[in-house]
Amino acid sequence: MNISTYTVKPKLPNVLKPLEEIARNLWLSWNFDAVQLYIRLDYESWLQSQQSPIRTLGMVSQERLAQMAQDDSYLAALEQVYGRFQKYKKGETWYKGARTDVVAYFSMEYGMDVSLPIYSGGLGILSGDHMKTASDMGLPLVGVGLLYRQGYFTQQLNADGFQQESYPENDWYNMPVELKCDKDGNAIKISVDMAGRQAAAQIWEVNVGRGSLYLLDTNIDENAPDIRNVTAALYGGDKETRIRQEILLGIGGIRALRALGINPAACHMNEGHAAFLALERIREIMTEKGFNFYEALEAVWPTNIFTTHTPVPAGNERFDTGLLERYFKGWTGILGISWKDFLTLGRERPGDEHEQFCMTILALKTAAYANGVAALHGVVSREMWKGLWPGLPLEEVPIHHVTNGVHPRTWVSSPMQDLLDRYLGPHFEEEPTDLSVWNRMDRISDEELWRTHERRRERLVAFARDRIRERLKRTGAVERRLQQAEDALSPYILTLAFARRFATYKRGNLLLRDPERLIRLLKDNERPIQLIFAGKAHPMDMPGKELIREIIHFAENNDVQSRIVFIENYDISVARYLTSGADVWLNTPRRPMEASGTSGMKASMNGVLNCSILDGWWDEAYNPEVGWAIGHGEQYEDNQLQDDVESKALYDLLERDIIPLFYQRGRDNLPREWIKRMKTCMREIGQSMSSHRMLMDYSNMFYFPALENYHRIVKDDYAESKALAVYMYKLKTAWNDLRIVKVESNAKPVMQRGDSLTVTARIELAGLSPDEVRVELYHGSVSSQSRKITRASRTEMKAARQDGAWVYQVKIECAETGQQGHTVRILPKHDALVHPYRTGLIKWA
């Protein structure tokens, strides 16, 4: 069948034309007054469009558009919103530098608005907040991802409470994406090799405030059906689909930016999915400059940033060598290295021929900057990947941390935002990087804060009832059950929310371990509680699906359906209701398996108090004034014992602290001690867990140094990188022959504080010069248990003379008391090294 296609757009009166421009920019996703324009235009169309502004414009009748074009009240609101939109785009920003060269941010998913469903959960929501915050701050950053035809699945529960999945097709022509075309109107395309076949992809742009996100799409006629399906679904298909998606994201993403005339001077890999981009960047420099692989690697390494989000080894993407060979054997000729050397790029143990190729390891080996997403996760990541730096003390493993954050104006509810705008002042919106504005929380009266929160709880209950009714109708419930939905939950009692991906380690059923105790709390006549659950299990995760089913059955079997409810299809819309309307946000992962988590941050900024295991972000944010900790950060070998201990601790917290505090009311019926904690929580978490703090950390620690590295490297036409490659080759050749022959000092069995300690080391440099290595005295307190140096200090030693071997010496002061110790080590030293901790290059006395 030969079908001719064309695009039909809504015909808007001239005075309403700004509506389309606003609808095509996700700035509206964090400006509710802009969203209200489309709700007000036609509420029924808004609901039927599933909260899509662009689709709403296409559904509204011409008569209604003509009517609103004459409505002076509506036009005034439109003018005001459009004026704010223009002011935002042209306004002064935190970043004031050049924008010619950009940081390219690569992520497998982006969660920014319900109208663009190309996300599954936390990673995507974080990426969306990252893009919005970069826009607020004016950073020279663009996003790169994939445009999924089906996105992630829609969740529905059957009558038995078992999760079922459906995959509705996305209609890009009614969504906030625009196909990128050349001056002749033809789609701009790139291609990548996939096991000897060319896969073409077109590029779509999403406007995110001042910034742009570019999404690649293989669903075009010139591709074979299996290639068209590469961008069919997020996290769908088998391992072959995954490697194809990651080739497209990493290699195709770099090529897409080049095709658009954008220079990715620095690249940020958000998880290992995009790590193949390092190979493409290396290939580009080899082709352009005639460099070999190692010279090009030294040019790319200082400008790559990698963020790991996974706290367990099994969660990192790995590919069998057979599959990898099908797709990358040809790259050995392109890069001029052996297949064994190629595999080494993704292996922790290069000599192990059975080890799979790991994308996280590829990213760590090709990026000078690496980080976990919380302080605890940084510790876990250094422990997990320390094998890549044998001999290096754990605290020096070059994986830092930048704790995640959330975008306040996206996640703080509209009524609460109005309250904050009123009391925190225009600074709150106009200068989001000035986090001290949160210190004004005490300006808000207890009465106003509590009434605002109560209204949000009322809205949550109404929303939950609607969702329950929809599910019961769909599953054929009798009229009596439909009537019960009207009584589900109460807008006046203590509400706990648990909403996140349903994986077994997150323990969504921890509160069900003592049914009698829980039922007693639920049915208490004077101080009852209610629980709202939401979240999706991965389609292949049967234990996760069983957790959801267990919760549904628990409520039905114990006649507590009015006190325990499960809201289907957890997404951005559901999250906004829950994080603003609950009283307590519950989080119960097995420590340390939660890398960060961000839903609790969103809740905190709405005044919702957290009750959580000390894991992820809560491990560093918790104090008794902002919420509750379940346990004291213990880790267990026995999962059953852990569940028993921590479920009892949770019940104790509820019975002894949380419930009494919530219901402790004065004559005015205000829980003033609870409100006091709400204010403290909003003030502290609003500052420490804002995505603007997060982006300032990324900028100062990684983005700005990486861009400076790029400009320095290209300034002398990559001569620095070539010199560094020569140096690294010379160093590796000589490394095995380097010897610390002897270490001597004037240390006595007992030294006095303030005494001078002189240490001398004789070192054979194996043909290297003294300025090509860094010789350090490694000194500090000695643990009586491990006999290792703790809280170490590092002092560089200077070459004093050459006497057969080089003699290095240093003098330090005995500043600490107790048992002290020292040793000597050798590290690489070169002005072009971002840090000296290169894999395998450390030598100890």
Side-chain angles (χ1 to χ4, degrees), residues 8 100 210 269-270 403 504 517 600 628 644:
V8 177
T100 308
R210 301 178 176 98
M269 297 169 272
N270 190 41
T403 302
T504 52
R517 202 169 177 184
W628 295 271
D644 286 339

Side-chain angles (χ1 to χ4, degrees), residues 364-553:
L364 286 169
K365 287 186 176 181
T366 55
Y369 305 98
N371 69 282
V373 289
L376 178 60
H377 183 237
V379 174
V380 171
S381 298
R382 288 189 287 276
E383 176 67 36
M384 190 187 312
W385 301 112
K386 64 184 179 183
L388 293 175
W389 293 272
L392 192 63
L394 186 63
E395 66 273 12
E396 291 184 274
V397 169
I399 301 176
H400 307 281
H401 83 271
V402 174
T403 302
N404 285 343
V406 299
H407 189 249
R409 299 197 79 85
T410 293
W411 295 106
V412 174
S413 72
S414 177
M416 187 66 75
Q417 209 169 109
D418 290 344
L419 186 66
L420 295 177
D421 284 338
R422 195 156 65 246
Y423 284 96
L424 273 53
H427 219 48
F428 181 55
E429 178 182 8
E430 295 169 4
E431 296 192 42
T433 54
D434 182 3
L435 303 175
S436 66
V437 72
W438 288 93
N439 288 325
R440 300 177 179 178
M441 279 303 303
D442 286 333
R443 296 181 178 183
I444 302 174
S445 71
D446 290 357
E447 292 82 358
E448 283 189 280
L449 183 61
W450 187 245
R451 298 307 173 213
T452 301
H453 177 66
E454 284 194 312
R455 285 196 296 274
R456 290 310 303 165
R457 193 192 310 117
E458 290 167 3
R459 288 294 303 126
L460 169 59
V461 169
F463 173 76
R465 288 173 177 172
D466 286 343
R467 285 297 188 93
I468 295 166
R469 196 181 305 110
E470 287 175 15
R471 175 183 167 243
L472 291 174
K473 284 182 178 179
R474 192 187 67 250
T475 56
V478 297
E479 185 62 31
R480 181 177 58 83
R481 286 287 289 118
L482 292 176
Q483 286 299 320
Q484 287 177 347
E486 302 297 331
D487 299 324
L489 305 175
S490 165
Y492 308 113
I493 69 177
L494 177 60
T495 304
L496 283 68
F498 179 98
R500 52 197 21 89
R501 181 165 59 90
F502 266 75
T504 52
Y505 81 87
K506 293 179 181 283
R507 299 188 295 177
N509 61 346
L510 189 67
L511 202 52
L512 310 185
R513 286 187 72 81
D514 189 338
E516 291 184 6
R517 202 169 177 184
L518 176 58
I519 290 169
R520 192 162 59 246
L521 296 177
L522 294 167
K523 292 187 174 182
D524 189 297
N525 289 328
E526 295 182 358
R527 301 187 306 183
I529 68 170
Q530 57 193 8
L531 302 173
I532 303 178
F533 292 89
K536 298 177 179 180
H538 188 278
M540 304 301 290
D541 183 5
M542 297 306 294
K545 292 183 177 183
E546 282 300 324
L547 284 179
I548 297 173
R549 187 169 170 270
E550 180 184 349
I551 291 167
I552 300 294
H553 280 225

Side-chain angles (χ1 to χ4, degrees), residues 353-367:
E353 295 184 1
H354 300 289
E355 184 181 356
Q356 293 180 309
F357 188 93
C358 178
M359 296 296 283
T360 300
I361 293 176
L362 174 62
L364 286 169
K365 287 186 176 181
T366 55

